[in-house]
């Protein structure tokens, strides 16, 4: 039975440039924002990338003052976002540029809104302050293919005092420009390539299955699945495979659009809990529980998962219960050598804290999931993932 088309709203006012070499358009993006001085947050692995260096030199040659900050390894924190916001205000900068993986882009988003509208990043995470249309420009350039953060209004930061990850967002936190240059992902090691690629697949599937999905999010989600299924294995096997890198970057971008037109599903609630409790990278945490959450919820969205299975290239069979999509996900995870919960150091002793986190502070993605989750089912999904000895 085909699901009815219900009312929906959407707004994604982000100007997107996609393709090899588009990092060179950074100067044009800043010019369109009438920026005269910019804070550039660039992640350490790409800080000396020749294309990034050339783009920043071109920006400076055009008369824009650049304050360059190299972000080291580790998850972004509220403290760092506030420090960067202080630099923007103190140096009278009128634009922020984020170049890197999701952590660099997320901290750039938070720093821009704090610099523009005051307070601290925690004020926006708690809801004490609500973002308004910003005056400070924001340009985001991803160097991994997974989070879709370049088109997202969300930021995930670590509260070091509370020892937890907190996600928050608002449409007015989105960038005005997203420059998606697949060349910047060349050579990314196999593990982060797999983690980010699987994160993109999770977001794409969520765009098809969550309760607030729409024809637009489904269309983007299915197309993202199609590109990811035809690239993630190849990109993991050969980081220099140009076609695979383009397809995976495109999948990540489109999955980010799907996520912004709807939301992420239960896998992100359980994944965020893993990030808070075990301090694991975001893409890894989502992939550790993706198949198990889908398996538990598939009865509530079987018709949509059948389309997902087709997009992921899973051979047809006589089943119509959504299990084919779960098999497709499990196959991809195995093919890219994705670790298990046990590989990541999770034990049964962690389960109470994980369930509490997933059903408490991280519960939003459970609430928008197509399935009405109970605490017992959250534990069941974690236990199913923990039971895997290998992929």
């Amino acid at each position: 039975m085909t699901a009815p088309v219900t009312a929906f709203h959407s707004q994604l006012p982000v100007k997107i440039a996609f393709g090899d070499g588009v990092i060179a358009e950074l100067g044009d993006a800043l010019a369109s924002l009438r920026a005269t001085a910019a804070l550039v947050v660039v992640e350490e692995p790409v800080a000396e990338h020749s294309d990034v260096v050339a783009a920043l030199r071109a920006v400076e040659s055009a008369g824009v003052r650049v304050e360059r900050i190299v972000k080291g390894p580790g998850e972004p924190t509220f403290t760092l976002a506030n420090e960067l916001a202080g630099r923007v205000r103190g140096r009278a900068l009128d634009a922020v540029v984020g170049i890197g993986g999701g952590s660099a882009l997320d901290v750039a988003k938070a720093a821009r809104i704090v610099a523009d509208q005051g307070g601290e990043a925690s004020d926006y995470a708690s809801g004490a302050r609500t973002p308004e249309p910003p005056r400070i420009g924001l340009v985001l350039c991803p160097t991994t293919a997974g989070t879709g953060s370049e088109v997202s209004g969300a930021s995930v930061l670590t509260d070091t005092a509370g020892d937890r990850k907190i996600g928050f967002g608002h449409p007015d936190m989105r960038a005005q420009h997203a420059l998606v240059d697949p060349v910047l992902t060349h050579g990314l090691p196999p593990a982060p390539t797999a983690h980010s690629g699987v994160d993109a697949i999770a977001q794409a599937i969520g765009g098809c299955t969550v309760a607030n999905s729409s024809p637009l999010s489904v269309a983007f989600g299915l197309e993202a699945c199609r590109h990811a299924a035809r690239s993630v294995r190849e990109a993991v096997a050969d980081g220099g495979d140009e076609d695979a890198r383009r397809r995976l970057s495109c999948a990540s971008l489109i999955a980010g659009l799907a996520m912004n037109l709807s939301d992420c599903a239960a896998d992100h609630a359980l994944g965020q809990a893993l990030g808070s409790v075990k301090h694991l990278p975001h893409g890894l945490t989502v992939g550790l529980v993706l198949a198990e959450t889908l398996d538990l919820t598939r009865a509530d969205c079987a018709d949509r998962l059948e389309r997902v299975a087709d997009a992921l290239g899973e051979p047809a069979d006589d089943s119509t219960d959504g299990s084919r999509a779960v098999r497709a996900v499990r196959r991809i995870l195995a093919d890219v050598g994705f670790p298990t919960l046990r590989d990541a150091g999770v034990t049964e002793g962690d389960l109470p804290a994980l369930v509490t986190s997933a059903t408490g502070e991280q519960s939003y993605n459970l609430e928008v999931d197509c399935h009405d989750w109970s605490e017992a089912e959250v534990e069941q999904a974690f236990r199913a993932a923990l039971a895997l000895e290998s992929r």
Side-chain angles (χ1 to χ4, degrees):
M1 178 179 177
T2 302
V5 177
T6 57
F8 63 90
H9 298 80
S10 67
Q11 182 184 17
L12 285 171
V14 182
K15 295 181 179 179
I16 298 169
F18 175 89
D20 291 2
V22 298
I23 187 67
E25 298 178 22
L26 177 58
D28 294 337
L30 290 171
S32 73
L33 297 171
R34 299 184 178 181
T36 61
L39 175 73
V40 177
V41 183
V42 57
E43 210 148 22
E44 194 170 38
V46 294
E48 302 305 323
H49 191 290
S50 59
D51 289 359
V52 172
V53 171
L56 294 180
R57 284 176 179 165
V59 167
E60 291 179 307
S61 296
V64 177
R65 177 164 54 93
V66 171
E67 298 275 344
R68 183 172 175 267
I69 299 293
V70 177
K71 182 193 173 297
E75 296 299 301
T77 64
F78 283 90
T79 299
L80 178 58
N82 293 330
E83 289 175 355
L84 294 176
R87 183 178 287 263
V88 172
R89 289 193 298 264
R91 302 293 182 91
L93 310 179
D94 53 13
V96 174
V97 177
I99 305 174
S103 64
L105 306 193
D106 280 7
V107 80
K109 279 185 274 192
R112 186 275 294 262
I113 209 69
V114 171
D116 187 81
Q117 296 169 23
E120 296 188 344
S122 59
D123 296 330
Y124 299 90
S126 68
R129 285 177 177 264
T130 300
E132 298 176 356
R135 295 155 295 183
I136 294 175
L138 179 62
V139 183
L140 298 179
C141 313
T143 62
T144 62
T147 68
S149 185
E150 66 274 10
V151 292
S152 162
S155 180
V156 179
L157 302 178
T158 297
D159 170 18
T160 51
D163 196 26
R164 57 181 181 160
K165 285 186 178 181
I166 300 175
F168 60 101
H170 189 276
D172 286 325
M173 286 177 61
R174 291 191 185 113
Q176 286 98 336
H177 290 266
L179 307 180
V180 184
D181 188 340
V183 173
L184 300 183
T185 71
H186 288 187
L188 188 70
T193 298
H195 300 170
S196 55
V198 169
D199 186 23
I201 291 171
Q203 290 173 176
I205 295 174
C208 299
T209 63
V210 292
N212 62 344
S213 66
S214 72
L216 291 178
S217 69
V218 171
F220 278 122
L222 292 175
E223 183 71 353
C225 284
R226 188 176 70 85
H227 281 293
R230 288 156 178 79
S231 61
V232 66
R233 298 174 178 88
E234 294 80 0
V236 169
D238 179 3
D241 185 328
E242 295 183 4
D243 182 64
R245 289 296 185 184
R246 287 189 200 100
R247 285 186 179 276
L248 195 54
S249 290
C250 187
S252 174
L253 169 64
I254 301 173
L257 294 171
M259 172 181 63
N260 273 266
L261 290 166
S262 55
D263 271 302
C264 296
D267 51 83
H268 271 63
L270 275 66
Q272 287 287 80
L274 283 164
S276 289
V277 174
K278 300 298 291 184
H279 308 293
L280 299 171
H282 174 74
L284 170 62
T285 65
V286 169
L288 290 173
V289 294
L290 175 58
E292 289 69 34
T293 54
L294 278 178
D295 200 30
L296 200 148
T297 62
R298 60 184 169 84
D300 298 272
C301 55
D303 57 336
R304 286 162 281 172
L305 285 180
E306 287 303 303
R307 299 177 67 189
V308 167
D310 290 339
L312 291 175
E314 187 67 12
D317 59 20
D318 294 332
S319 68
T320 58
D321 59 0
S323 59
R324 196 162 57 97
V326 179
R327 287 198 298 276
V329 169
R330 291 193 190 280
R331 195 185 308 277
I332 290 171
L333 292 170
D335 288 348
V336 300
F338 214 90
T340 66
L341 271 187
R342 291 194 182 277
D343 293 334
V346 180
T347 68
E348 289 194 5
D350 296 314
L351 289 177
L354 290 171
V355 172
T356 297
S357 180
T359 56
E361 60 195 30
Q362 309 294 350
S363 65
Y364 175 75
N365 293 118
L366 291 180
E367 294 166 7
V368 298
D369 194 83
C370 62
H371 180 72
D372 185 13
W373 284 77
S374 66
E375 284 193 16
E377 288 172 322
V378 171
E379 181 175 343
Q380 178 184 340
F382 275 126
R383 285 192 178 277
L386 198 56
L388 292 177
E389 295 292 341
S390 67
R391 298 283 180 189

